[in-house]
């Protein structure tokens, strides 16, 4: 089973001129990129996510603000990650139930390994829990 991993992109530049960070296949992104999307203007009271993916791997980056990501694997193990720097990303592998909450003005960039297909989503928590018994 693939495991979540914090990725350090580093940064180029200086305070006087500003910074750039780079996400590149085979260097810091462990899959071929098929899709990029971004989530923004999320109210602080909202939890997004609440699903897992059958195939899709992702890297999440808090471009602005702070994002709390709670991940659960098919063995029922939970981990909480706080993303608060555009220099850092979180590799979220497939088969991990995710919940995300956002600070005011947070912007989440997601780099994904697949094109969008609703069939790739497991949106029923009971269905996700059942994977524990059947496959692992
Ligand atoms: C994830 C977290 C971090 C599309 O039509 N195409 C897309 O590529 C995406 C990502 C979404 N959509 C549609 C599907 C829904 O009707 O946009 C609507 C909102 O999507 P969803 O409820 O899945 O949004 P989140 O923020 O809960 O989840 C999203 C991603 O779907 C998911 O892969 O891991 O961001």
């Amino acid at each position: 089973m693939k495991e979540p991993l914090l990725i350090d992109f580093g940064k180029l530049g200086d305070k006087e001129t500003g910074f750039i960070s780079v996400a590149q296949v085979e260097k810091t992104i462990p899959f071929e990129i098929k899709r990029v999307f971004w989530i923004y203007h999320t109210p602080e009271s909202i939890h997004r996510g609440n699903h897992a993916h059958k195939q899709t791997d992702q890297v999440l980056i808090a471009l602005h603000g702070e994002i709390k990501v709670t991940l659960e694997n098919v063995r029922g193990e939970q981990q909480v990650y706080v993303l608060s720097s555009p220099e850092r990303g979180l590799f979220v592998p497939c088969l991990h139930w995710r919940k995300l909450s956002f600070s005011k003005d947070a912007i989440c960039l997601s780099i994904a390994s697949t094109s969008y297909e609703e069939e790739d989503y497991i949106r029923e928590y009971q269905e996700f829990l059942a994977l524990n018994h059947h496959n692992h």
Side-chain angles (χ1 to χ4, degrees), residues 4-12 19-24 28-30 58-69 79-92 107-111:
L5 183 70
L6 282 165
I7 298 167
D8 198 350
F9 294 109
K11 62 183 173 187
L12 299 160
F19 295 98
I20 183 166
S21 294
V22 181
Q24 190 171 318
T28 44
I29 302 297
Q58 279 173 277
V59 171
L60 303 179
I61 304 161
L63 292 182
H64 190 256
E66 190 172 282
I67 301 164
K68 191 173 130 193
V69 185
Q79 256 179 308
V80 179
Y81 299 87
V82 177
L83 300 175
S84 57
S85 163
E87 279 178 67
R88 260 194 159 186
L90 176 64
F91 173 59
V92 180
I107 300 176
C108 180
L109 181 72
S110 170
I111 299 170

Side-chain angles (χ1 to χ4, degrees), residues 35 37 39 48-49 51 53 58 60 98 116 121 123:
R35 179 170 50 121
F37 59 90
I39 303 166
R48 297 192 68 104
H51 60 252
H53 285 284
Q58 279 173 277
L60 303 179
R98 79 257 349 244
Y116 174 73
Y121 285 73
R123 291 195 185 269

Side-chain angles (χ1 to χ4, degrees), residues 19-106:
F19 295 98
I20 183 166
S21 294
V22 181
Q24 190 171 318
V25 176
E26 286 173 1
K27 294 208 167 150
T28 44
I29 302 297
F31 49 77
E32 290 294 326
I33 299 166
K34 279 282 179 65
R35 179 170 50 121
V36 174
F37 59 90
W38 45 100
I39 303 166
Y40 51 96
H41 296 177
T42 309
E44 283 177 279
S45 56
I46 291 293
H47 280 92
R48 297 192 68 104
N50 297 309
H51 60 252
H53 285 284
K54 295 173 190 164
Q55 304 277 349
T56 304
D57 294 330
Q58 279 173 277
V59 171
L60 303 179
I61 304 161
L63 292 182
H64 190 256
E66 190 172 282
I67 301 164
K68 191 173 130 193
V69 185
T70 305
L71 297 181
E72 183 180 333
N73 66 21
V74 289
R75 295 190 296 263
E77 297 159 339
Q78 279 199 13
Q79 256 179 308
V80 179
Y81 299 87
V82 177
L83 300 175
S84 57
S85 163
E87 279 178 67
R88 260 194 159 186
L90 176 64
F91 173 59
V92 180
C94 61
L95 297 178
H96 282 71
W97 191 265
R98 79 257 349 244
K99 283 184 194 165
L100 287 82
S101 58
F102 297 77
S103 70
K104 192 173 181 298
D105 294 339

